[in-house]
Amino acid sequence: MRVDWFGSSDETLASPWIQAELGLPGHFLVAGGGGIYRQSPDLFQAENPFGDPVHAERARHLDVGFGQEIGTWRWQAT
């Protein structure tokens, strides 16, 4: 969990995320993760001349991968 305060929009928002990895036979791995990521409006956007409040942007992210450990090396495709 990450919590940010965005001064340009005066918001305090939480950004939850999770990551997991599962080991399979033959040193293969399945990995996945996801979360919500936020970005503050820049100062020019926060000074909205029309008076409407400007809020932080939100994006959802999902990542799934498959890989294998070979000695001290590891490859992964996502």
Side-chain angles (χ1 to χ4, degrees):
M1 177 71 69
R2 177 183 167 138
V3 177
D4 291 300
W5 175 71
F6 300 112
S8 57
S9 60
D10 195 29
E11 295 177 287
T12 301
L13 300 169
S15 299
W17 52 270
I18 188 168
Q19 294 178 320
E21 185 174 279
L22 175 65
L24 301 173
H27 298 280
F28 285 97
L29 304 164
V30 175
I36 297 175
Y37 299 90
R38 302 183 189 273
Q39 180 177 343
S40 169
D42 65 26
L43 294 177
F44 293 113
Q45 293 170 328
E47 294 297 323
N48 186 352
F50 302 107
D52 294 333
V54 178
H55 300 286
E57 294 288 329
R58 178 180 74 178
R60 291 180 185 90
H61 177 80
L62 177 62
D63 186 55
V64 177
F66 179 75
Q68 183 181 28
E69 292 179 341
I70 303 171
T72 59
W73 293 89
R74 176 178 174 170
W75 66 265
Q76 184 174 353
T78 58

